Structures are given as structure tokens and as C-alpha cells.
Amino acid sequence: MSFILGVVITIFISSFSFFYLNHLEGTQSNSKTRLYDFFENLDLRFNDFKYRFGQSPPKEQKTILVAVDDESIDEVGRWPWSRTHITELSDKLISYGVSSIGYDIIFSEPERENKDADKILSNFVDQHQDKIILGTFSDNLIQTQAYQDYCINEAFLQNGGDKLIKVNPSFVVDDSGDKFEDLDWGNFFTAFFKAVQKSTEESYLTKNKVVTSDGLTEFQKNYLKSLKTKNVFEYCQHWLTPNDQYSDLKKENVLKLYKTLFSKQNAKTEDDVQQILAKIKKESSDHPIPQYGRWTSNTDLIQSKSLYTGSFNTMLDIDGFIRNYPLFYRAGNRLGSSFIPSLALQQYLVSTGYRADVKIDKVGNEKK
């Protein structure tokens, strides 16, 4: 009887929430979309009920959430706190015997008020590398052709990814079987990325009516740096498409880059290069793991001292709740340097001493 009552209540609440949210937001979706959303919302609420109904008795709490609440702000002062405070708090946790500390905040810019604060936190991370997991985040979910992963991977590594993700003994991804991974993609794409960055800077300087970047304000310089990174990732989504303005094989310098990249394949002519590119496009496989481009990292001073970094990306369901939390993400396809574990997974591994060996089965990408 209680189960049936729960189902009825769930249906009522789901229906009310659905129509209320649509009325509140003034949604003009068609009937098919509204019906689909209704049943998705209903399914989510029903699953919530099932989890509550079958919930196991609470066990001993082994994970502690240190939250910055209103009382904390009243006592310590406004957020963000100095990194000296963060270090003191973290050091206290270490003294209590915690097995690991994961930060779901990012120290992305140097602290201005206290010039020594970053160094203090950096030293702390260095002293406790085996217990500290720094955080990272990206909302730049990207959809590319399978073969464009090579470009995304190099864009990630050349824009701070080499410092963000290091070879991780506790989190190993077996993504073997890639026929083209051993090519020198790094040097190859560097030339294209420099061309994109140069074009971006020239356009931005012209727009702001200055001759060199010295004529820009600090805010404009920061924006230009961000714009260069953004355009590099966008270029990867155009690589080897009709919108790729940099891969014209009729240009001798471009053809030379491709010949060098495919030297092991003995590419000597434009036709040779075209055949190899066609093979790469056809045989590259779609990847099942969500791919994100630009990731927000910590300052170099702090990030360079860390062994572990975890993502705290979240995915909202249609009703605004979080029920799914991927165990890891990727930013390309290179073994050991492009897969980013979730903060929760990495902290679990560090705390328990376990190692996660992940085997990925790619879906064949047949192209005609």
C-alpha cells in the first residue's frame, strides 16, 4: 500500500513541477518535446523514490565535507579567503590524520593581497603530495570528428594540460590500439596553433587600434590570452574540413609539415598525404568518454607541486538535480596525459591506496 501511495505522490509532484516550470519559464516547446520532458521528469522522480525506499542503514562516516558556510564567513571574513587560511585549515586536517584532502575550488589566479600566500600553499602541497588532490573544471564540452581528437589533445597539452594532468600511478587508462598515436602530432600542430594565435592577435590589436600588445591594458592582455586559447580549440573543430584555412596542401610550407608528420609512411607527394589523411579519417574511432577542451587550472606555482588533480564537473538533469557524476573525462586521446579522473574517484583512490585500471572499448567509426 505504501509503495502505491508513493507512486501516486511521485506522479503528482512530477506533473505539478513540470507544468509549473514550463509556465514559469514561458517555454514555447512543441507538444512532442513537452511530452518527452514530462516522462523524463517522471522517470527521474520515480527513481528518486526507489532509492529512498531501498536505502540501506547509514554506515560509519568516513568522508568529511569541510564547507564554507555563513558562520565561517562571519568568523573568518569574506570569501575568498587568503591561501594562508586555506593552508592552516588543511594543515590542521593533516594533523587529525586524514588520508587525503580534495579541493573543489580552483586557485586559478595569484593572490593579490598577500604576495607570499601562493608560495605558502604551494609548499604545503609539495610537502603532502601523496594526500592532496587539486581541483579543475571545464564547461567547454565539445563535439568533434573522431580524427580531430589528435588536434584537441595537443591543444589541451600546449595550453596548460601538461601541468594539469601527469602520469598517475593510481589511475591508469588502457586506450591502446590507436594506429596513429605515435605520430609527432605535437610539433605538427604547434605550427598551426602559432598561425591561429598570430591571426587572433593581429585582429585584436587592429580592433583596439594599437600596434603592439604593449598598448593593451592588463585586462585586455588577459582577454587576448583567453581568446587565443579559445580560437585554438575552435580551429581543432575545423581541422581537415572545408573551413580549415590553414591546411591548404597546395602551399609548399603546409605540404612540408604533412610530409614530415607522415615520414614513417613514406609520404613524398600531395597524393600520398591525401591518402594517409583519408585513412586516418576512416579508421579513427569514436570515443565513449565525454571530451572537454579548455580546463581551468590552478596557478603554475601551485599546480606544479601537485601529483593529483580531479574534476568536479557536474551534469544537471532536466529538473535541476545532480544524479550522474562521470568517473572521468578526457581532453584528447593520449595515454596517461589526457584523461582526467573525477575529484571523488581520485580522492577515493588516494585514500584507500587502490589503483583503477580502466579499459576502454571504442566504437568503430565506419566512414564511406
Side-chain angles (χ1 to χ4, degrees):
M1 183 64 184
S2 60
F3 178 79
I4 296 176
L5 179 61
V7 172
V8 172
I9 294 174
T10 301
I11 293 175
F12 173 77
I13 294 176
S14 299
S15 302
F16 175 80
S17 300
F18 174 78
F19 289 110
Y20 171 73
L21 289 174
N22 274 278
H23 172 74
L24 185 66
E25 297 174 1
T27 305
Q28 301 296 322
S29 53
N30 57 45
S31 58
K32 181 179 180 180
T33 301
R34 294 167 73 94
L35 184 62
Y36 174 83
D37 289 348
F38 168 76
F39 281 108
E40 182 178 5
N41 197 298
L42 178 63
D43 180 62
L44 292 172
R45 297 303 175 89
F46 183 64
N47 283 329
D48 290 345
F49 172 78
K50 288 194 299 181
Y51 277 111
R52 294 193 192 98
F53 185 77
Q55 204 169 36
S56 59
K59 299 180 180 179
E60 180 184 355
Q61 181 75 335
K62 294 185 178 181
T63 302
I64 304 299
L65 178 64
V66 181
V68 179
D69 55 14
D70 290 340
E71 292 182 358
S72 304
I73 297 295
D74 291 340
E75 182 176 343
V76 179
R78 68 178 179 83
W79 184 263
W81 291 345
S82 172
R83 283 155 201 177
T84 58
H85 294 322
I86 300 294
T87 303
E88 291 170 3
L89 175 60
S90 302
D91 192 51
K92 180 64 70 173
L93 293 173
I94 293 291
S95 70
Y96 289 155
V98 299
S99 54
S100 68
I101 299 175
Y103 299 105
D104 67 342
I105 55 177
I106 303 176
F107 312 105
S108 58
E109 297 177 359
E111 185 170 322
R112 296 180 181 180
E113 290 79 6
N114 184 350
K115 300 297 184 182
D116 297 325
D118 281 19
K119 183 64 176 177
I120 291 172
L121 180 56
S122 175
N123 289 339
F124 174 80
V125 174
D126 190 27
Q127 293 170 10
H128 303 284
Q129 285 185 336
D130 59 332
K131 295 184 176 182
I132 301 299
I133 303 100
L134 296 181
T136 185
F137 173 83
S138 175
D139 57 3
N140 183 226
L141 179 63
I142 53 178
Q143 302 289 338
T144 61
Q145 299 295 321
Y147 67 87
Q148 292 171 334
D149 282 358
Y150 299 109
C151 186
I152 294 292
N153 191 85
E154 297 307 323
F156 168 70
L157 293 177
Q158 294 188 33
N159 284 277
D162 58 335
K163 301 182 182 67
L164 185 68
I165 299 300
K166 302 171 185 176
V167 175
N168 187 341
S170 68
F171 177 69
V172 179
V173 178
D174 182 0
D175 197 19
S176 57
D178 192 322
K179 301 177 181 178
F180 312 106
E181 186 189 31
D182 61 345
L183 297 178
D184 191 6
W185 296 107
N187 285 328
F188 171 75
F189 279 115
T190 294
F192 292 94
F193 294 164
K194 286 182 176 179
V196 172
Q197 291 170 339
K198 180 181 178 182
S199 175
T200 300
E201 181 167 341
E202 290 175 348
S203 177
Y204 190 73
L205 293 179
T206 300
K207 178 181 177 181
N208 287 277
K209 300 178 181 180
V210 295
V211 179
T212 68
S213 59
D214 293 335
L216 299 175
T217 66
E218 287 302 314
F219 293 107
Q220 289 174 325
K221 289 178 181 178
N222 290 336
Y223 179 75
L224 176 58
K225 181 180 178 181
S226 174
L227 188 61
K228 287 180 178 180
T229 301
K230 175 178 177 290
N231 287 350
V232 162
F233 278 99
E234 286 188 352
Y235 167 71
C236 288
Q237 298 177 69
H238 298 308
W239 180 51
L240 298 183
T241 71
N243 294 323
D244 182 359
Q245 57 180 311
Y246 297 101
S247 289
D248 184 359
L249 296 179
K250 300 298 181 182
K251 296 180 179 179
E252 185 59 35
N253 61 328
V254 174
L255 181 59
K256 183 178 179 181
L257 285 172
Y258 278 96
K259 286 181 180 179
T260 301
L261 177 66
F262 300 141
S263 59
K264 292 182 180 180
Q265 286 75 21
N266 199 29
K268 296 181 179 180
T269 67
E270 180 182 338
D271 287 340
D272 294 339
V273 171
Q274 292 283 19
Q275 290 176 13
I276 297 172
L277 288 176
K279 184 178 181 181
I280 289 177
K281 286 184 176 182
K282 181 179 180 180
E283 298 184 9
S284 293
S285 301
D286 288 327
H287 209 290
I289 306 302
Q291 179 170 233
Y292 288 74
R294 292 166 285 142
W295 288 81
T296 301
S297 180
N298 301 274
T299 64
D300 288 347
L301 183 61
I302 297 173
Q303 189 70 56
S304 63
K305 301 299 182 181
S306 173
L307 289 179
Y308 307 110
T309 303
S311 163
F312 51 85
N313 278 25
T314 55
M315 302 173 67
L316 294 177
D317 286 328
I318 189 175
D319 56 359
F321 288 95
I322 299 172
R323 297 179 179 85
N324 298 286
Y325 184 39
L327 289 178
F328 61 100
Y329 303 84
R330 69 187 178 99
N333 62 353
R334 179 175 294 183
L335 292 177
S337 62
S338 59
F339 292 92
I340 305 172
S342 69
L343 189 64
L345 173 60
Q346 186 61 77
Q347 187 159 10
Y348 175 78
L349 296 174
V350 171
S351 298
T352 59
Y354 291 152
R355 165 175 155 161
D357 288 296
V358 182
K359 172 67 176 178
I360 295 178
D361 291 326
K362 293 183 179 180
V363 179
N365 186 23
E366 296 295 331
K367 294 186 177 181
K368 297 181 180 180

